[in-house]
Amino acid sequence: MRHLMSPMDFSVEELEKLMDLAGDIEANPAKYAHACEGKKLATLFYEPSTRTRLSHEAAMLNLGGNIMGFSSADSSSASKGESVSDTIRTISCYADICAMRHPKEGAPMVACRHSSIPVINAGDGGHQHPTQTLTDLLTIRSLKGHLGNMTIGLCGDLKFGRTVHSLIHALVRYTGIQFVLISPEELRLPSYIRSDVLDKNKIPYREVVRLEDALPNLDLLYMTRVQKERFFNEEDYVRMKDFYILDSKKMELAPKDMYVLHPLPRVNEISVEVDSDPRAAYFKQVQYGVYIRMALILTLLEIEVK
Ligand code: NCD
């Protein structure tokens, strides 16, 4: 049985197959409309979510399956003190596959060790967010036509942003990738990712503080929100939260084919005026998130549609 804990759980070839399947789902939705009939997805969300939970649910519903779950720890027995391992043993009796989001790093990993159904990590603390990365890869491949040979700017909260951590792990496997890490000093990419992932794979990168300095040379800009919930004190968050605001004026500095991605939710880091710029791709990204999760559910459940 297969789980998804990190984007590294799939080889580059497997990712290619998964994205091809997502492409076929996009082109022929009717072919997949009954593929998961009789199957149930449980969403176990111990942290807030809009897109990740609802896109997993939409994916299962589009496949003709059913959904169940909880959307906050308060409404589950976690609030009574139940452990993740007991909860997953229980859910294994009810559902065929589950997606779990948890504020603690490694909680979905604990779950998969006690589970008799596939577990999808839907975000664990500041660690990983593999299904967002699958979404991002499919979005980049669809917009640019390929995944290598690109300079990618990662901007915002690179310290706590799990979407960035997962995306870096996944992208270093493609040739010709370079990163520009754009963050305030306090929110730099953790040193273990710089040394264990970037340096180890000999990936060229530079760190800059000013977004304006990076913009002219990027093929892609991945914006992120300052992760309020991971800060130890409110004051630091308030000081950092509006450090970057991408607006139409700054977009003038960027190449004509530099797409802007964002895992969402956005707070102030992309001004709404940018939404009408043809390079703004963050709502397209949301749509790709459904196709790739449909492909993921089929793959983990080992369902082949002819
Ligand atoms: C992200 C997350 O939860 O890590 N959201 C998402 O799933 N699309 C990004 C964020 O919350 O900033």
Side-chain angles (χ1 to χ4, degrees):
M1 193 184 33
R2 245 183 130 160
H3 307 285
L4 177 68
M5 292 296 119
S6 128
M8 304 300 285
D9 294 349
F10 284 111
S11 67
V12 168
E13 293 72 34
E14 287 173 323
L15 285 177
E16 215 57 38
K17 265 177 76 180
L18 198 70
M19 288 188 270
D20 291 344
L21 177 57
D24 194 52
I25 290 169
E26 179 182 7
N28 308 293
K31 185 173 143 191
Y32 296 89
H34 304 285
C36 283
E37 237 156 46
K39 301 280 185 201
K40 281 172 261 159
L41 164 82
T43 47
L44 317 176
F45 275 60
Y46 297 82
E47 254 195 354
S49 168
T50 297
R51 272 150 294 270
T52 306
R53 185 170 63 86
L54 296 179
S55 65
H56 276 96
E57 295 188 353
M60 191 48 145
L61 293 170
N62 291 346
L63 293 166
N66 292 301
I67 54 167
M68 57 163 80
F70 54 82
S71 56
S72 79
D74 309 343
S75 63
S76 79
S77 283
S79 63
K80 301 178 186 169
E82 186 172 54
S83 66
V84 162
S85 54
D86 284 1
T87 301
I88 196 70
R89 281 196 188 111
T90 304
I91 301 301
S92 293
C93 303
Y94 304 153
D96 301 283
I97 183 166
C98 78
M100 175 184 282
R101 168 169 288 188
H102 203 286
K104 282 213 182 103
E105 285 83 3
M109 181 64 97
V110 170
C112 80
R113 295 209 178 109
H114 298 273
S115 178
S116 53
I117 59 171
V119 178
I120 298 168
N121 176 3
D124 61 328
H127 185 219
Q128 296 267 4
H129 193 343
T131 66
Q132 182 63 46
T133 297
L134 300 181
T135 302
D136 301 340
L137 295 178
L138 178 63
T139 307
I140 299 170
R141 197 183 79 160
S142 305
L143 294 173
K144 291 276 187 190
H146 57 94
L147 279 162
N149 302 315
M150 259 180 249
T151 301
I152 299 174
L154 302 167
C155 177
D157 189 345
L158 309 187
K159 181 177 180 187
F160 296 117
R162 58 193 173 196
T163 59
V164 162
H165 302 165
S166 281
L167 186 58
I168 290 176
H169 276 89
L171 281 172
V172 297
R173 296 186 292 180
Y174 298 89
T175 49
I177 291 288
Q178 296 191 32
F179 292 109
V180 184
L181 306 175
I182 310 153
S183 76
E185 186 62 33
E186 289 98 318
L187 299 178
R188 282 174 72 196
L189 190 72
S191 62
Y192 75 91
I193 301 181
R194 272 180 280 140
S195 58
D196 297 356
V197 185
L198 297 178
D199 295 340
K200 203 168 172 181
N201 291 287
K202 302 194 170 51
I203 303 297
Y205 71 91
R206 64 195 177 93
E207 294 186 282
V208 303
V209 174
R210 276 169 46 90
L211 177 56
E212 293 85 333
D213 296 343
L215 276 172
N217 303 309
L218 299 179
D219 296 306
L220 203 91
L221 173 63
Y222 194 91
M223 292 295 292
T224 63
R225 166 182 76 90
V226 176
Q227 305 282 295
K228 181 177 185 200
E229 63 277 34
R230 315 260 178 252
F231 276 72
F232 294 111
N233 71 66
E234 174 86 15
E235 255 167 65
D236 289 346
Y237 169 69
V238 170
R239 202 160 40 79
M240 291 289 115
K241 73 181 176 63
D242 294 328
F243 201 95
Y244 297 110
I245 298 179
L246 181 67
D247 55 17
S248 300
K249 196 151 186 297
K250 291 200 187 84
M251 284 299 285
E252 285 171 17
L253 301 170
K256 293 276 164 285
D257 58 353
M258 186 209 74
Y259 289 104
V260 182
L261 268 58
H262 191 310
L264 304 178
R266 127 177 84 183
V267 187
N268 290 328
E269 60 281 357
I270 302 179
S271 135
V272 289
E273 67 193 25
V274 177
D275 297 0
S276 54
D277 188 305
R279 295 167 289 182
Y282 28 93
F283 288 108
K284 277 191 201 136
Q285 203 177 343
V286 173
Q287 182 64 63
Y288 286 122
V290 180
Y291 302 136
I292 202 73
R293 288 179 176 101
M294 289 171 74
L296 177 66
I297 291 170
L298 290 173
T299 303
L300 295 180
L301 289 177
E302 298 178 13
I303 294 173
E304 236 179 280
V305 179
K306 295 268 165 9

